[in-house]
Amino acid sequence: MFVELNNLLNTTPDRAEQGKLTLLCDAKTDGSFLVHHFLSFYLKANCKVCFVALIQSFSHYSIVGQKLGVSLTMARERGQLVFLEGLKSAVDVVFQAQKEPQPLQFLREANAGNLKPLFEFVREALKPVDSGEARWTYPVLLVDDLSVLLSLGMGAVAVLDFIHYCRATVCWELKGNMVVLVHDSGDAEDEENDILLNGLSHQSHLILRAEGLATGFCRDVHGQLRILWRRPSQSTAQRDQSFTYQYKIQDKSVSFFAKGMSPAVL
Amino acid sequence: MAAVATCDSVAGSTGSAVATASKRNVTSFQKRGPRASGTNDSGPRLVSIAGTRPSVRNGQLLVSTGLPALDQLLGGGLAVGTVLLIEEDKYNIYSPLLFKYFLAEGIVNGHTLLVASAKEDPANILQELPAPLLDDKCKKEFDEDVYNHKTPESNIKMKIAWRYQLLPKMEIGPVSSSRFGHYYDASKRMPQELIEASNWHGFFLPEKISSTLKVEPCSLTPGYTKLLQFIQNIIYEEGFDGSNPQKKQRNILRIGIQNLGSPLWGDDICCAENGGNSHSLTKFLYVLRGLLRTSLSACIITMPTHLIQNKAIIARVTNLSDIVVGLESFIGSERETNPLYKDYHGLIHIRQIPRLNNLICDESDVKDLAFKLKRKLFTIEAGVQWHDLSSLQPRLLGSSNSPTSASLAAGITGAHQHAQLIFVFLLETGFHHVGKAGLELLTSGDSSTSASQSAGITGMSHCARPRALYFKENKSKVGARQLLETREEHLSSRLLILTQAERLCMGRRFFTAFHIFNELPCKGDCICLQTCQTQ
């Protein structure tokens, strides 16, 4: 959790809005620091988190999580975190025949399968437990990243359907939050990816877009973050407002500053 | 012999033990090997494996790519469990070299190899590996080791080291050099005995595919399915996956896959823009990544990306690989005859460096890298040394991607290790500000403005309006603040645009200053400061 980013978004783990879809997007840079931020943010907010990690292994997230002050291993043991390790799951699905359908069952199917098993997994993971008092405040679904599903042969429409189902369940029914990451393919002209990105931009409440500097690599400024709020009923001045900050990623935190105000040059 | 000498009492034999150690460099008092902290928390602590070292940054176990210069660029080496993707050069001349270096490094360190190809028999590939340049000391050691193996005395247990008996022996292969990263002589072949002593598995697609096909488990092309099953089999049977602890000494599996994605693999992404199984390659990479992440293995893949029709696939492949290195050779391009590049054979682009266990990655500051194949060695050099700048000027015209590029020119000049840039300023007046900032004009031409001359500007080109000027950074580095002041003076009437700043390999302060230039809004007429690409 990066405190500076919380300040920019005007939120804290104690008073986060519910029922929102946040879209993380990265273009010409790596936006994974945003995923780490939201993972630690919601774990600290005492939410029940379902993390669909398709691109990295558990140990990677766990070690970064430690640096940010959360223990993923403990959260998983407590039952607060449900972690789907896509890489491991894919190997199991491809090499071992399993009886019950796996979340990534579509990998085994010759024709384009669907993401229903994955949705079932999410719903099962975030289903409220009746026993005793509520231990966790509200459920959160985190996906890193959706572009991988396209690489694995799913169509953009199937992924959008999946997100729609998840929104209906997590955001609306359970009053929880969703955070998803999508790469912006930029000039690669990945049509499917563009459909997905545009479709999600249309639905989400908050868009965080990490971009590499147009001027190229820089040691002291790693990129810029654009924050786009899409609040429904606000004064026109605040609606669809966009803020742009530059950032520098450090070992355990990220510092944000106004454009051109990098401490390295001032 | 030495072993007998160490059979004496502890006190008495200290001297001889030391002598033995210095002579053979094999002693029971061994330095403990690198420990992998955190990364492999499932298994017991990793014991020393020859040819590996832990990363300073993230504790990951690293192996060498066989090219120490490349290791350095990739942040120390290739992390175990990751994929290194080499984008092949156009005529596939230099990428096989990197591939062979990677395999040769495995043989020298005694790692297990898995070579997969659809074009050549893996046995032939191994025959053509370059010979390691071991220094004499290592060679002598090697000879002695072989000799000792034959003598029965080597079986005598050394009593002095009784409590170290459980420790694994340091030597694994017949070559005792446990250094990290070796140099290879590309003009010689790897000695036959080394290849014979190595443990390797070959996957030759035409052989495998002729055998009876089982039902496809997933929608991959048959070649990929076979290869995945083969790799998974080796990893499982030889215990490279961390879940089943290896019985014997832990070792690294080096996987090399040649020309992946080419039509020989039965993939149609090189032939059609929207092939029927355009997801085969990305699926294969994903499952391969999953296999690698759970095992002690590292993988190198060469891929003819210039053949792939659909750019979207390349972007996806890049996202699914850990490290991506592109080779761009000058052969057949107009640069071959360009005097700028006469010392080099091509450019090397580090496209992606992974962020493992970390928020940040080890990114090298130097982005201008060129390679050269000398008679024996493949070298990578930072910064292109451009000498005669005046003769280059016409060649570079129109090389930038700005609409006004016709009047823009650029170049990179290397005074030291780093490349320096010539900037093009499009401006009408105000040269003296630039001069004050420490920029010096290179080319000579129209010298109408006396103000500019007094400020150290020696000339400008003959373009009409806007006029183009060629600047070189002064040896004395320009302070960021000084530049800012310059900018302030210009803001009222001029504009500063900078593109392609990644090409700037200058002092840090200077570098960041230009980012400010770009980001702050300015009004009115503008100075267009453009660094042009090396292309």
Side-chain angles (χ1 to χ4, degrees):
Chain A
M1 189 176 74
F2 311 127
V3 181
E4 289 191 35
L5 184 55
N6 281 344
N7 295 342
L8 293 185
L9 299 177
N10 194 19
T11 180
T12 57
D14 308 327
R15 49 175 186 91
E17 287 179 277
Q18 284 176 245
K20 301 294 181 203
L21 169 64
T22 305
L23 173 65
L24 313 177
C25 165
D26 56 2
K28 285 197 279 179
T29 188
D30 188 301
S32 56
F33 69 97
L34 293 170
V35 175
H36 293 295
H37 165 80
F38 281 101
L39 179 61
S40 53
F41 179 88
Y42 285 119
L43 285 178
K44 281 188 180 162
N46 212 24
C47 298
K48 170 98 180 180
V49 180
C50 173
F51 187 15
V52 180
L54 298 171
I55 197 73
Q56 289 285 6
S57 60
F58 177 76
S59 67
H60 167 80
Y61 293 106
S62 168
I63 290 169
V64 179
Q66 264 173 9
K67 288 184 184 172
L68 302 183
V70 290
S71 166
L72 265 56
T73 327
M74 272 175 55
R76 191 149 80 157
E77 280 166 10
R78 283 201 306 263
Q80 187 188 1
L81 174 69
V82 181
F83 192 94
L84 174 68
E85 192 170 349
L87 289 170
K88 206 178 245 175
S89 177
V91 171
D92 290 347
V93 167
V94 171
F95 293 109
Q96 289 155 23
Q98 260 120 0
K99 286 183 190 82
E100 65 253 39
Q102 297 287 305
L104 298 182
Q105 191 63 34
F106 63 88
L107 276 173
R108 233 186 142 74
E109 284 154 22
N111 307 321
N114 58 40
L115 289 167
K116 206 173 163 206
L118 188 58
F119 169 67
E120 292 294 337
F121 172 83
V122 170
R123 191 169 64 174
E124 195 62 30
L126 296 179
K127 199 173 59 182
V129 194
D130 306 327
S131 60
E133 81 281 31
R135 290 182 69 189
W136 319 117
T137 45
Y138 53 93
V140 173
L141 170 66
L142 209 64
V143 187
D144 181 22
D145 61 77
L146 281 178
S147 299
V148 172
L149 291 176
L150 297 180
S151 299
L152 294 179
M154 299 310 299
V157 178
V159 179
L160 281 174
D161 284 349
F162 166 71
I163 291 298
H164 187 78
Y165 273 87
C166 288
R167 267 186 70 203
T169 311
V170 179
C171 294
W172 187 76
E173 204 176 300
L174 302 171
K175 299 278 176 287
N177 284 345
M178 277 174 65
V179 181
V180 295
L181 175 73
V182 180
H183 295 298
D184 186 346
S185 57
D187 47 6
E189 287 162 15
D190 193 336
E191 283 173 29
E192 293 271 303
N193 200 60
D194 291 346
I195 295 173
L196 177 64
L197 187 59
N198 292 339
L200 283 173
S201 308
H202 180 72
Q203 299 177 22
S204 47
H205 301 94
L206 167 64
I207 303 170
L208 298 182
R209 189 181 156 87
E211 294 168 335
L213 289 177
T215 45
F217 172 78
C218 176
R219 181 191 265 271
D220 292 304
V221 183
H222 289 150
Q224 61 180 24
L225 183 73
R226 287 168 59 179
I227 302 172
L228 182 66
W229 288 103
R230 297 184 64 247
R231 290 205 187 94
S233 53
Q234 290 272 335
S235 63
T236 44
Q238 273 185 303
R239 254 182 65 199
D240 283 359
Q241 221 174 357
S242 161
F243 304 93
T244 309
Y245 300 92
Q246 291 180 335
Y247 63 83
K248 181 183 184 195
I249 305 178
Q250 278 140 359
D251 196 29
K252 291 181 180 175
S253 67
V254 179
S255 56
F256 292 86
F257 36 83
K259 274 181 170 183
M261 296 294 157
S262 163
V265 288
L266 295 179
Chain B
M1 275 294 293
V4 181
T6 51
C7 288
D8 298 349
S9 72
V10 177
S13 68
T14 328
S16 63
V18 169
T20 317
S22 62
K23 207 168 76 187
R24 291 204 302 153
N25 198 19
V26 178
T27 165
S28 16
F29 299 104
Q30 285 172 4
K31 197 177 143 211
R32 296 303 291 267
R35 297 165 54 174
S37 58
T39 60
N40 248 18
D41 43 12
S42 58
R45 196 188 63 216
L46 278 179
V47 291
S48 148
I49 304 175
T52 62
R53 70 174 174 210
S55 158
V56 188
R57 168 81 75 180
N58 52 28
Q60 278 278 10
L61 201 59
L62 299 177
V63 295
S64 171
T65 55
L67 202 60
L70 187 59
D71 287 344
Q72 205 187 333
L73 290 171
L74 302 181
L78 181 62
V80 168
T82 57
V83 180
L84 165 62
L85 182 81
I86 307 279
E87 295 181 355
E88 290 174 9
D89 49 309
K90 197 174 168 195
Y91 297 104
N92 201 15
I93 293 169
Y94 300 103
S95 46
L97 266 174
L98 294 185
F99 186 75
K100 284 173 185 164
Y101 281 139
F102 180 82
L103 296 178
E105 177 72 17
I107 289 198
V108 170
N109 287 316
H111 297 163
T112 308
L113 300 187
L114 193 159
V115 189
S117 173
K119 193 173 73 176
E120 277 178 278
D121 193 340
N124 294 343
I125 298 178
L126 286 187
Q127 293 302 321
E128 287 169 6
L129 293 184
L133 287 172
L134 301 173
D135 40 71
D136 287 330
K137 187 173 149 254
C138 295
K139 207 160 248 173
K140 223 177 275 169
E141 231 170 73
F142 166 42
D143 291 337
E144 248 179 3
D145 263 9
V146 174
Y147 175 70
N148 283 347
H149 258 279
K150 286 171 186 152
T151 55
E153 282 165 314
S154 61
N155 289 333
I156 299 172
K157 294 245 164 64
M158 293 188 287
K159 280 180 190 160
I160 184 178
W162 62 273
R163 57 176 153 169
Y164 297 108
Q165 272 174 6
L166 291 179
L167 287 182
K169 291 247 169 58
M170 197 157 80
E171 270 69 50
I172 294 170
V175 179
S176 54
S177 169
S178 52
R179 251 186 328 148
F180 183 90
H182 296 77
Y183 292 92
Y184 295 89
D185 183 348
S187 64
K188 290 195 198 123
R189 298 280 167 85
M190 173 82 79
Q192 199 61 37
E193 61 264 26
L194 279 181
I195 298 176
E196 276 164 16
S198 65
N199 180 15
W200 65 275
H201 307 271
F203 180 93
F204 187 37
L205 186 69
E207 281 174 5
K208 303 282 171 182
I209 214 73
S210 57
S211 60
T212 51
L213 269 175
K214 282 192 290 182
V215 186
E216 285 181 37
C218 50
S219 61
L220 288 170
T221 48
Y224 293 158
T225 315
K226 283 277 171 198
L227 180 55
L228 276 180
Q229 282 168 348
F230 186 78
I231 295 174
Q232 196 254 352
N233 231 356
I234 300 282
I235 287 179
Y236 181 74
E237 278 177 7
E238 307 218 346
F240 291 106
D241 46 353
S243 43
N244 326 357
Q246 279 170 296
K247 285 133 209 151
K248 37 189 197 319
Q249 171 76 45
R250 274 164 178 272
N251 205 345
I252 301 283
L253 177 68
R254 279 177 184 248
I255 304 174
I257 306 172
Q258 212 178 23
N259 306 123
L260 191 74
S262 78
L264 290 174
W265 281 97
D267 206 326
D268 60 0
I269 51 170
C270 293
C271 317
E273 192 156 336
N274 284 313
N277 45 7
S278 58
H279 299 300
S280 259
L281 184 63
T282 43
K283 270 191 192 179
F284 170 82
L285 278 174
Y286 190 76
V287 179
L288 177 70
R289 189 186 170 110
L291 276 175
L292 291 174
R293 282 286 200 272
T294 51
S295 60
L296 277 176
S297 51
C299 181
I300 188 171
I301 295 175
T302 68
M303 188 180 284
T305 42
H306 58 281
L307 294 181
I308 297 178
Q309 302 294 314
N310 193 344
K311 294 277 168 286
I313 292 183
I314 301 177
R316 290 180 181 186
V317 162
T318 306
N319 279 338
L320 288 177
S321 324
D322 294 293
I323 304 178
V324 182
V325 174
L327 293 182
E328 182 189 347
S329 78
F330 295 151
I331 296 176
S333 77
E334 57 183 12
R335 294 197 190 139
E336 199 177 9
T337 50
N338 193 326
L340 282 182
Y341 298 109
K342 66 180 174 11
D343 292 337
Y344 300 97
H345 288 133
L347 299 176
I348 187 162
H349 307 283
I350 310 285
R351 300 205 199 279
Q352 183 171 300
I353 303 239
R355 291 155 199 250
L356 295 166
N357 303 340
N358 230 328
L359 285 170
I360 36 183
C361 59
D362 296 301
E363 198 153 355
S364 153
D365 285 346
V366 186
K367 297 285 176 186
D368 273 301
L369 300 164
F371 66 82
K372 183 182 186 178
L373 179 63
K374 294 181 184 163
R375 198 169 60 82
K376 291 179 170 180
L377 288 175
F378 183 91
T379 55
I380 301 176
E381 287 174 32
V384 184
Q385 306 275 324
W386 287 7
H387 307 291
D388 190 6
L389 288 155
S390 53
S391 70
L392 301 169
Q393 185 192 329
R395 272 177 222 286
L396 294 156
L397 278 174
S399 61
S400 68
N401 44 12
S402 132
T404 51
S405 62
S407 62
L408 299 179
I412 289 188
T413 170
H416 331 287
Q417 190 202 14
H418 294 300
Q420 282 189 338
L421 291 203
I422 309 166
F423 303 113
V424 181
F425 278 68
L426 285 180
L427 71 169
E428 282 159 310
T429 52
F431 303 134
H432 54 287
H433 297 308
V434 180
K436 229 195 284 176
L439 295 169
E440 169 191 336
L441 213 59
L442 274 187
T443 57
S444 61
D446 178 22
S447 51
S448 57
T449 330
S450 58
S452 66
Q453 277 181 332
S454 68
I457 292 174
T458 53
M460 63 178 88
S461 82
H462 294 279
C463 303
R465 282 167 59 104
R467 285 171 290 193
L469 297 173
Y470 308 91
F471 289 96
K472 190 181 83 173
E473 186 205 354
N474 262 350
K475 280 213 176 73
S476 54
K477 290 271 186 275
V478 186
R481 190 167 296 279
Q482 205 178 352
L483 270 173
L484 268 178
E485 283 162 12
T486 317
R487 187 196 128 265
E488 289 299 332
E489 286 171 62
H490 281 298
L491 259 187
S492 51
S493 57
R494 328 261 168 245
L495 113 101
L496 295 163
I497 302 170
L498 179 82
T499 63
Q500 294 293 322
E502 70 206 346
R503 295 287 174 189
L504 288 169
C505 301
M506 288 177 270
R508 201 181 81 168
R509 308 280 290 177
F510 194 59
F511 194 33
T512 40
F514 280 110
H515 279 289
I516 289 191
F517 277 116
N518 187 33
E519 305 306 341
L520 283 179
C522 34
K523 290 169 195 152
D525 293 338
C526 309
I527 302 170
C528 175
L529 169 63
Q530 170 133 16
T531 76
C532 301
Q533 299 165 339
T534 45
Q535 284 86 354

